Amino acid sequence: MPPLLPYWGKVRPFVINLKEFIAKPLPEYSTLAGSEYYTEALEVLTISSPLSFENKWIAEFWSDDHPGLTFTPSTRWISITNQVICNELPSIEKTLETYLKIGIALTDASISCWNSKYLYNLERPESYIHKVFNKDWQPLFHTPPFPSYPSGHSIFGAAASEVLTSLYGGDYAMVDHSHEGRDEFMGTPRKFHSFYEMAFENAFSRIPLGVHFRMDCEEGLRLGFLVGKKVSAFQIFKQDYSSL
């Protein structure tokens, strides 16, 4: 497939200084047994052989990799935000602040992520597994056509969850109904006790799906939380409406 968004990392962000939001350098690439790449690729292979019911549910629930069928991985967090707004019915000021900060956070997170993706150009687990373990292995869904590190899903979830946590609290429990009623994949609603819990499960989902190494997800989370904190600190109104 053609490379997706190779120049998106050059777009001007809203709030962050892009030079300060670059993924950490990768360890030296290796196919040797015991190396970090070998170990993490083996984790992907082991989890998927076979997938447990729970891991398959998590993988499909968070995937959002179906063009024309689902929203995108970033706008999944708009769906989650919509549910929060419908549940809480906040003031118009807080509603506007919520959507504005979520939009900025997702945009800046995506720029930071894609800038780093094409800086490091790390192959996907599928390519590594074919070379080292099993040339016939396939991920649960197709491998996206852009570099693996860091994980886009992970950075989107962390950035959005940080913003939502700052506005609605660290123990906000909710059921995500984003894919309720779908029969093309396992979209049965899942219950969460916080936005952070959602972000961490979203990041983990990429491993059983077979499209990311653990290092991709962990670095995506780190960057995303930093972006979310930066956006959350941005004062939009002269008056503080966050407690309304």
Side-chain angles (χ1 to χ4, degrees):
M1 298 175 68
L4 182 62
L5 304 177
Y7 301 108
W8 185 248
K10 307 302 180 184
V11 173
R12 185 179 67 183
F14 284 99
V15 173
I16 66 171
N17 180 345
L18 193 56
K19 294 180 180 178
E20 299 173 359
F21 288 81
I22 296 175
K24 294 178 179 179
L26 284 163
E28 183 177 356
Y29 184 82
S30 175
T31 57
L32 295 178
S35 69
E36 190 166 351
Y37 293 96
Y38 184 98
T39 301
E40 295 198 4
L42 184 60
E43 177 186 28
V44 174
L45 182 62
T46 302
I47 287 178
S48 66
S49 304
L51 274 174
S52 67
F53 177 86
E54 179 74 3
N55 282 341
K56 188 173 187 291
W57 182 12
I58 291 171
E60 295 190 353
F61 181 79
W62 288 105
S63 177
D64 297 319
D65 287 321
H66 305 277
L69 182 63
T70 66
F71 23 65
T72 65
S74 58
T75 49
R76 167 63 173 275
W77 289 89
I78 302 295
S79 168
I80 292 169
T81 302
N82 288 344
Q83 294 173 73
V84 173
I85 296 298
C86 288
N87 291 338
E88 298 304 308
L89 299 176
S91 66
I92 186 62
E93 292 85 1
K94 189 169 183 179
T95 300
L96 290 171
E97 181 178 15
T98 301
Y99 281 118
L100 181 59
K101 286 186 173 180
I102 285 292
I104 291 174
L106 291 173
T107 301
D108 280 14
S110 68
I111 296 168
S112 171
C113 186
W114 261 257
N115 181 54
S116 291
K117 278 183 180 292
Y118 284 96
L119 174 65
Y120 294 109
N121 281 299
L122 179 63
E123 68 184 354
R124 292 280 180 166
E126 181 178 4
S127 298
Y128 190 96
I129 289 171
H130 286 176
K131 286 190 297 186
V132 178
F133 295 108
N134 181 353
K135 63 180 179 63
D136 297 319
W137 180 86
Q138 294 294 321
L140 183 60
F141 292 159
H142 69 274
T143 293
F146 44 84
S148 192
Y149 179 85
S151 160
H153 273 70
S154 302
I155 196 170
F156 294 139
S161 69
E162 188 65 51
V163 169
L164 290 171
T165 297
S166 74
L167 291 170
Y168 297 94
D171 57 354
Y172 189 94
M174 67 173 287
V175 177
D176 183 4
H177 294 273
S178 291
H179 292 311
E180 187 171 24
R182 288 287 190 188
D183 56 13
E184 301 92 343
F185 55 87
M186 295 176 67
T188 305
R190 292 179 64 84
K191 183 177 182 179
F192 301 92
H193 299 92
S194 69
F195 298 116
Y196 288 151
E197 184 182 359
M198 300 176 82
F200 281 112
E201 183 176 280
N202 169 53
F204 167 74
S205 74
R206 308 304 283 170
I207 299 173
L209 195 71
V211 298
H212 274 295
F213 298 103
R214 181 172 291 274
M215 69 179 82
D216 306 339
C217 303
E218 291 178 346
E219 185 60 12
L221 286 169
R222 186 190 74 84
L223 276 176
F225 286 130
L226 290 176
V227 172
K229 289 181 185 298
K230 185 77 172 180
V231 175
S232 295
F234 187 71
Q235 294 298 313
I236 296 175
F237 300 107
K238 292 182 178 179
Q239 180 179 345
D240 181 9
Y241 293 96
S242 62
S243 61
L244 297 181

